[in-house]
Amino acid sequence: MDDVHAAECLAPPDPFETGLAAFRRGDAPGAIRHFTAVLDDRPDFAPALTNRALAFWTGGYLHEAARDAAAAAAASPDLAEVWLITGAIAIDRGDSAGAIAAYRRAVALRPDLASGHAGLAAAYLAAGQPEAAQQAAALALSLDPACTHARFTLGSARSTLGDPAGAIRLFDQVIAADPAHAGAWLNRGNARINLDDIAGGTADLETAVAVNPAQKEGWASLSVARTIGGDIAGAIAACDRAIALDPDFAVAHWNRGVAALLGGDFATGFTAYEWRKLHPVYGPHFDRLGVPVWRGESLAGRHLLVRAEQGLGDTIMFARFLPHLAAQAARVTLACHPTLFPLFRDLGAALCDINGPMPRDADIGIDQMSLPHVLGLTTETIPAAAGYIAVPSPRPPLDGVRRIGLVWAGNPGHKNDQRRSLPPHAYEPLLRDEELARQGVRFVSLQLGARRGEYDIEDLASAITDYGTTASILAGLEALVTVDTSIAHLAGAMGATCHVLISASCDWRWLLGRDTTPWYDSLSLHRQTRLGDWSAPVAQVRSVLAGADRTW
């Protein structure tokens, strides 16, 4: 009797407090039930709406979370926590502008709220404003030095701003405080990859997906690390895991295509390469062609527009298909950069400036790097590997010496330029080689851009006005030694002897483990044996040049 009497005297539990307790122990469904019970009696009770929105958001129910957050904001617009959850929901919905507005409301109401400034930092980062993200995250940490969210966002901003070493130090602190922070493992892994610590980065990324196997970005980044390491099968398997999580994840499809192409599987690779048009980085560059897309049907009697894309070297590389297309279509027009016009005048296609108006009478069109996919290209069916650009009359040598051209850097804006361009002084072993000097070799520079003039050698760059004049200069040289940049494609398209220095993290078109390429018969590839170390490729080139018996 006493026990029954005691139980009857206890007050019933407060469902709101019970909901909070359920949420704290990770029981989001239980929390939702309890908050719903509160709201059945008090539909406008903002704290219950806010916390149910938080529980819905935690469970991935964004629609329900947004509904409750909007109701909470209507009921109590001066409650800062309402705007915190509103901002978090907006970020997950891809509405970075809405997130920024929500978090600004939160910190206006509570300037001392570290979580509000941390959320604002994350919103700025999602909006592509890393400088603002860095400032907001630093303010959050000044208010609460233990704010892991702010420290993580600050590290992510530093990485975006080109400071991977600084980012790694911040991610180290996040991981020390929270070893299960999958995002910190992911971003530290990516930062390590950017510093060419491939083994360390791969290990971090493997930890990221072990901590959170549902993190599609982790699997996509792991695929990149494995591709750099030459593990094509592992890279494709990682992409498959990401795609299983999100079948429309363009980044994973793109990464899968690049890995397959690097491994020589053109059928798989060029099919997946089409996802570049939906990639968050590359996709915005693809506007509508203005005509129906050509998908391989008959070209008889039709005017085909081919639109160049990506770099100038890519345009040269894929111009090899123009004669084949011109033989089938009534007319073919290539839209490309005018500096390339002199190269393509004999390939059977009309030319127009890619930055100008497109031909109004085109019937169908295609982006140039979709041609291998539509044509079903394989490594065995690459056309015109011996050359397809007419070799111009060479500029006559002045003294009959063995002139060999040098190019040591590509476009600094290229995403992989830190790995493909040479560091300063890397060509010094060639320039100082006594045997080459004894054989009458004279190195000349064809380097353009900011790094022109790094070596005290004859500079021919002043004579270059377009790719036509570049071709004329190349025709007068015994050979070209270059990094992976557009002039290598020009040499190959001309059938000119060319030695290409290839990074251990190379572009897909150079395949793996080869010293020749099916794209160009006249190119020899000299590969790094260790990422970042150019001594072996330069030594290989020196050996080949010293053993050459060609003279003018």
Side-chain angles (χ1 to χ4, degrees):
M1 291 291 293
D2 290 341
D3 289 341
V4 172
H5 178 74
E8 290 175 348
C9 290
L10 289 175
D14 181 345
F16 180 74
E17 293 297 332
T18 306
L20 291 177
F23 185 79
R24 291 190 191 103
R25 65 174 179 267
D27 180 13
I32 290 169
R33 287 195 301 272
H34 292 297
F35 293 135
T36 300
V38 175
L39 292 166
D40 285 342
D41 292 332
R42 300 178 61 187
D44 295 332
F45 186 46
L49 287 166
T50 301
N51 281 284
R52 192 172 70 171
L54 179 61
F56 274 131
W57 172 72
T58 302
Y61 299 101
L62 295 185
H63 175 76
E64 292 81 358
R67 177 202 63 204
D68 278 0
S76 186
D78 294 333
L79 186 63
E81 288 77 8
V82 169
W83 300 107
L84 291 182
I85 185 58
T86 300
I89 295 165
I91 286 180
D92 280 3
R93 284 182 146 186
D95 179 12
S96 55
I100 290 170
Y103 284 121
R104 282 177 173 169
R105 288 286 298 270
V107 298
L109 292 165
R110 291 271 305 278
D112 61 340
L113 190 63
S115 58
H117 292 286
L120 183 57
Y124 280 133
L125 192 63
Q129 301 177 46
E131 296 89 351
Q134 183 172 241
Q135 293 174 5
L139 178 54
L141 287 169
S142 71
L143 294 168
D144 179 8
C147 184
T148 299
H149 184 198
R151 184 164 281 105
F152 169 71
T153 303
L154 181 58
S156 302
R158 291 269 174 85
S159 190
T160 302
L161 291 168
D163 179 17
I168 288 170
R169 289 191 293 272
L170 289 159
F171 295 138
D172 288 344
Q173 296 170 24
V174 174
I175 291 168
D178 180 7
H181 198 301
W185 288 105
L186 166 62
N187 287 4
R188 191 176 77 172
N190 287 332
R192 283 182 163 177
I193 295 294
N194 287 338
L195 289 175
D196 289 346
D197 177 9
I198 308 304
T202 301
D204 275 358
L205 295 169
E206 288 173 342
T207 302
V209 297
V211 169
N212 182 10
Q215 184 188 58
K216 64 181 182 180
E217 294 83 3
W219 290 109
S221 289
L222 182 58
S223 75
V224 173
R226 288 176 173 172
T227 299
I228 293 172
D231 179 9
I232 301 302
I236 290 175
C239 289
D240 289 343
R241 292 291 298 269
I243 293 167
L245 293 166
D246 180 0
D248 295 323
F249 189 21
V251 172
H253 284 285
W254 159 265
N255 290 353
R256 194 178 195 278
V258 169
L261 288 171
L262 189 62
D265 180 358
F266 281 13
T268 298
F270 280 120
T271 298
Y273 204 73
E274 291 300 290
W275 282 86
R276 71 194 185 280
K277 298 175 184 179
L278 297 175
H279 193 288
V281 174
Y282 312 119
H285 299 287
F286 288 91
D287 55 2
R288 294 178 61 85
L289 278 164
V291 291
V293 176
W294 181 54
R295 304 189 186 280
E297 66 272 20
S298 173
L299 291 172
R302 310 180 85 182
H303 179 185
L304 173 67
L305 170 65
V306 179
R307 182 172 63 179
E309 55 175 295
Q310 301 187 37
L312 299 178
D314 299 287
T315 308
I316 297 170
M317 180 180 183
F318 287 89
R320 67 183 68 233
F321 298 109
L322 292 176
H324 170 75
L325 298 172
Q328 299 180 57
R331 186 181 179 195
V332 175
T333 297
L334 172 66
C336 66
H337 196 286
T339 191
L340 297 169
F341 284 4
L343 302 180
F344 301 150
R345 288 184 175 134
D346 297 325
L347 295 183
L351 304 170
C352 71
D353 187 343
I354 194 167
N355 296 312
M358 297 294 103
R360 295 183 178 180
D361 60 342
D363 300 302
I364 48 178
I366 189 169
D367 290 301
Q368 191 182 23
M369 296 186 74
S370 291
L371 288 171
H373 169 59
V374 170
L375 296 172
L377 193 72
T378 69
T379 54
E380 292 75 29
T381 60
I382 294 174
Y388 47 93
I389 290 176
V391 178
S393 300
R395 298 196 171 195
L398 299 178
D399 47 17
V401 300
R402 295 176 57 195
R403 276 182 168 75
I404 295 176
L406 295 181
V407 173
W408 48 88
N411 179 358
H414 188 280
K415 62 182 176 61
N416 201 40
D417 192 64
Q418 66 176 13
R419 295 187 180 125
R420 68 169 186 161
S421 290
L422 298 182
H425 314 298
Y427 276 149
E428 289 295 343
L430 293 179
L431 300 178
R432 296 196 309 266
D433 189 89
E434 294 181 358
E435 177 60 26
L436 292 176
R438 195 160 35 245
Q439 291 186 19
V441 170
R442 180 180 297 176
F443 291 103
V444 297
S445 170
L446 280 74
Q447 179 67 48
L448 299 175
R451 294 189 59 187
R452 178 182 172 187
E454 286 188 4
Y455 296 97
D456 186 19
I457 57 177
E458 182 182 0
D459 186 351
L460 302 183
S462 59
I464 294 175
T465 57
D466 57 22
Y467 276 81
T469 56
T470 306
S472 293
I473 293 171
L474 275 180
L477 301 178
E478 176 177 331
L480 172 70
V481 180
T482 180
V483 295
D484 173 15
T485 190
S486 62
I487 198 169
H489 294 281
L490 175 57
M494 292 170 55
T497 299
C498 180
H499 300 277
V500 187
L501 306 181
I502 300 293
S503 167
S505 172
C506 68
D507 193 84
W508 59 262
R509 71 202 71 216
W510 306 121
L511 307 176
L512 286 177
R514 298 181 55 131
D515 57 11
T516 60
T517 168
W519 295 99
Y520 304 109
D521 291 344
S522 66
L523 265 57
S524 298
L525 309 181
H526 304 272
R527 297 178 180 270
Q528 287 180 340
T529 56
R530 184 169 63 85
L531 188 61
D533 181 2
W534 290 103
S535 60
V538 171
Q540 289 174 13
V541 170
R542 181 261 163 210
S543 179
V544 171
L545 295 180
D549 59 0
R550 292 180 58 190
T551 57
W552 290 105

